[in-house]
């Protein structure tokens, strides 16, 4: 994989999420000397990566900024950062519930902006990143930023920004829902009498193996589920519980809808 790295990468915030993105980029050969991280704690990030606690006087030519702090910090960050941004600066924002129009209003000099929604497994190169750019962003910038995201895992360009909170709910928040599922599977096994540590190991390995299998299979997960279920056997009885009144589907639809609604409220400043 040949990646066209930005001349300089300036990360505003480098916590759980941006930290995973940077870790993967460094693993894939990004020169740490091209990276500066701004974080209030000043904690070091990785060998060779410059960490600053205040904004520099200028940004190097050809800088790509990754906005990786919390969404509610955008006003303060933009006040300090926008004066440093010329037309050659590009912005990638991973801020949940923060539309491009909001960023455009705060960074008027910047032409190239991409809204990105990664998830935590990007650190392993097995993440999902949803991407959106409006018409002002150049084709070249879209290609370059798409190339930067590629080593993180699956990249999906979203045609309509109105769907961004929905895709955030599915794949951005998704790892948390899956972690809950693994935990619940283990605890359910424990409730049926399996020793806790054994149930935890078995639940995790079952999810890991099943996800790997589904990723490689030519059949859909729905077909694979039926393949586990022998007619008149145990799995069918269990699936009947999940499927009754579309129980699992309804639960997940409610879960994604609640996350989506929060994104919409955040976009309104709530
Ligand atoms: N966590 C996730 O799974 C996902 C998160 N996101 C988005 O990523 C963003 C960050 O979330 P997450 O990584 O979980 O949060 P974290 O709390 O882990 O990281 C926040 C980062 O912002 C830094 N920071 C705090 N205050 C400021 C400030 N005033 N100016 C600049 N930087 C600041 C922190 O600095 P320090 O390190 O010094 O404390 C830290 O590095 C959010 O916008 C979220 O919507 C998107 C997809 C998934
Ligand atoms: O919880 C959040 O708001 C962010 C968005 C996706 C994952 N974490």
């Amino acid at each position: 994989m040949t990646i066209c790295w930005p001349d300089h990468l300036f990360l505003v915030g480098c916590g759980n999420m941006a930290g995973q993105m940077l870790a993967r980029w460094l693993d894939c050969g990004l020169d740490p000397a091209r990276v500066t991280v701004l974080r209030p704690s000043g904690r070091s990030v990785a060998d060779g990566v410059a960490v600053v606690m205040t904004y520099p006087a200028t940004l190097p030519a050809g800088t790509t900024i990754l906005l990786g702090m919390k969404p509610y910090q955008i006003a303060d960050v933009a006040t300090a950062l926008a004066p440093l941004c010329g037309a050659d600066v590009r912005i990638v924002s991973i801020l949940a519930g923060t539309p491009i129009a909001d960023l455009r209003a705060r960074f008027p000099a910047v032409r190239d902006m991409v809204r990105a929604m990664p998830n935590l497994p990007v650190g392993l190169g097995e993440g999902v990143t949803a991407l959106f750019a409006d018409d002002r962003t150049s084709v070249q910038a879209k290609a370059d930023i798409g190339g930067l995201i590629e080593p993180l895992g699956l990249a999906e360009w979203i045609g309509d920004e109105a769907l961004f909170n929905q895709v955030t709910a599915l794949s951005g928040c998704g790892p948390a829902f899956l972690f809950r599922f693994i935990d619940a599977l283990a605890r359910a096994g424990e409730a049926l009498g399996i020793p806790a540590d054994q149930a935890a190991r078995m639940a995790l390995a079952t999810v890991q193996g099943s996800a790997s299998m589904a990723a490689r299979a030519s059949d859909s997960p729905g077909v694979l589920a039926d393949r586990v279920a022998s007619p008149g056997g145990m799995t069918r009885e269990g699936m009947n519980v999940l499927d009754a009144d579309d129980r699992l589907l309804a639960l997940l639809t409610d879960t994604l809808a609640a996350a989506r609604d929060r994104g919409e409220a955040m976009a309104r400043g709530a």
Side-chain angles (χ1 to χ4, degrees), residues 14-17 39-41 68-71 73 94-96 117-118:
C14 190
N16 290 315
M17 191 61 252
R39 66 190 314 191
S41 66
M69 69 293 169
K70 294 292 190 190
Q73 293 167 326
I94 64 169
L95 310 181
M117 186 46 59

Side-chain angles (χ1 to χ4, degrees), residues 53-189:
M53 295 161 71
T54 55
Y55 289 87
T58 57
L59 293 172
T63 293
T64 294
I65 295 170
L66 179 72
L67 295 177
M69 69 293 169
K70 294 292 190 190
Y72 67 83
Q73 293 167 326
I74 185 62
D76 290 346
V77 167
T79 301
L81 186 59
L84 309 182
C85 295
D88 67 320
V89 163
R90 291 170 171 175
I91 291 182
V92 179
S93 164
I94 64 169
L95 310 181
T98 308
I100 286 275
D102 184 5
L103 299 172
R104 290 230 171 269
R106 296 181 192 280
F107 297 94
V110 177
R111 175 180 171 199
D112 294 324
M113 283 185 186
V114 171
R115 187 173 174 189
M117 186 46 59
N119 66 11
L120 284 182
V122 298
L124 304 170
E126 296 179 23
V128 175
T129 307
L131 296 163
F132 173 81
D134 63 12
D135 291 342
R136 271 188 66 193
T137 297
S138 66
V139 171
Q140 187 61 53
K142 274 187 72 174
D144 291 347
I145 292 168
L148 184 63
I149 297 298
E150 210 178 283
L152 305 183
L154 176 68
E156 291 279 343
W157 286 94
I158 307 302
D160 180 358
E161 192 182 15
L163 281 176
F164 219 76
N165 290 321
Q166 285 83 327
V167 299
T168 298
L170 195 160
S171 61
C173 311
F177 307 148
L178 261 300
F179 297 145
R180 270 282 195 277
F181 177 84
I182 297 169
D183 189 46
L185 188 62
R187 286 165 57 190

